[in-house]
Amino acid sequence: MILVAPDSFKGTYTAAEVAAHIANGIRSVGGTALEMPVADGGEGTFDVIFQGLQAQPLTVSTVGPWGDEAKAVIGLTQNGTAIVELASASGLTMPTEQTRDPLTANTYGTGLLIAEAVRQGAQRILVAAGGSATTDGGAGAITAIEEAGGLRGAQLVVLSDVTTKFSDAARVFGPQKGADPATVDILTQRLERLAETLKRDPRKVDRAGAAGGFAGGVWAQYEASLVSGADYILDLLQADAHIAASEAVIVGEGRLDSQTGQGKIISGILARSRGIPVYAVVGSTHEDLGSYASNFADIITASDGPGMIAAGAHIAAKRR
């Protein structure tokens, strides 16, 4: 059996679509495949956890990062866990009638989602932190939560795919959110001032810079847990058992590059697959991959469905 465990190809194919194409290729040549779509705290994390926890959807009224009215779905389970996707209320690609100003973008809408999860009785709230438009250090979310009466004993767990420090959030992520060098400096100074007003100082904490410092803000104010999205999801999906039962593992993502080994889901799978060959099916490979390529039995480029099917068939044929 070959385990097919890809991440999404950002903006083009969901993890489930990639897994289905590759698995179809494996089966087309008589192989056996188990599909296990994965995510690491970024794009697709909500869907993977929602399915893994068998949650029920609840549509919530909220606002986008620039104040536009919006609707978002949160997940609720029977055992008191809620799932919130930060990007569904504070995401970079959300529509807006306002100027997409990185200085004014805030996480108030995400706070509204968290507050509604609390109102629904959630005792544990998982927040997938990828894809934010914001660099407000979570200040907007904290305001919304406090206006609604606080967390009332609920525990926040922030899932991220980065280990960036709080004070580095603007420098690392600001440019991709539209911040020029001068704006990055302003955002960094603002994060520094915020850190001094919170209940705890988040500036030396790994992962505190995720989602423009949202992770650090809720860690400081609410003692939120900041965890590896990759490890959380692999544990949730019982990946260790599936890997142990497989003759090979196929991973995938839109672009394989030097950042893949820095907390991304592929690095998590590699760490759990000692002695089992791992194949990568990717949309593209950056030239700086270097020695990281030696982790894989083969790297196959496939940017569309037919290519993914062909890659699955090729790998299965080699395993026969």
Side-chain angles (χ1 to χ4, degrees), residues 107-124:
T107 53
Y108 188 85
T110 296
L112 293 178
L113 300 185
I114 293 170
E116 180 59 26
V118 171
R119 196 181 76 80
Q120 293 291 330
Q123 291 301 301
R124 183 177 66 150

Side-chain angles (χ1 to χ4, degrees), residues 4 31 106 278:
V4 185
N106 66 76
V278 177

Side-chain angles (χ1 to χ4, degrees), residues 120-268:
Q120 293 291 330
Q123 291 301 301
R124 183 177 66 150
I125 303 169
L126 307 175
V127 183
S132 76
T134 58
T135 315
D136 72 342
I142 292 169
T143 298
I145 293 167
E146 291 303 302
E147 289 176 351
L151 291 181
R152 305 175 202 172
Q155 173 66 25
L156 283 180
V157 180
V158 181
L159 309 177
S160 74
D161 61 355
V162 299
T163 58
T164 307
K165 293 289 199 298
F166 188 79
S167 298
D168 293 332
R171 177 183 60 80
V172 175
F173 305 118
Q176 69 194 44
K177 301 175 185 184
D180 60 23
T183 303
V184 167
D185 288 342
I186 294 170
L187 290 170
T188 299
Q189 292 169 18
R190 192 170 71 183
L191 289 171
E192 293 285 349
R193 290 195 301 270
L194 176 64
E196 295 173 356
T197 69
L198 296 168
K199 291 182 179 179
R200 299 193 292 175
D201 190 337
R203 285 176 285 190
K204 294 184 179 180
V205 179
D206 285 345
R207 303 188 185 280
F214 164 85
V218 295
W219 173 88
Q221 199 72 8
Y222 301 118
E223 299 186 6
S225 300
L226 310 185
V227 304
S228 161
D231 286 335
Y232 181 90
I233 287 175
L234 291 175
D235 289 342
L236 174 68
L237 298 176
Q238 300 181 320
D240 289 344
H242 294 315
I243 291 170
S246 303
E247 64 177 284
V249 177
I250 299 177
V251 297
E253 65 178 9
R255 185 167 178 77
L256 193 66
D257 58 26
S258 58
Q259 294 186 13
T260 300
Q262 300 172 14
K264 299 290 187 179
I265 192 71
I266 288 180
S267 63

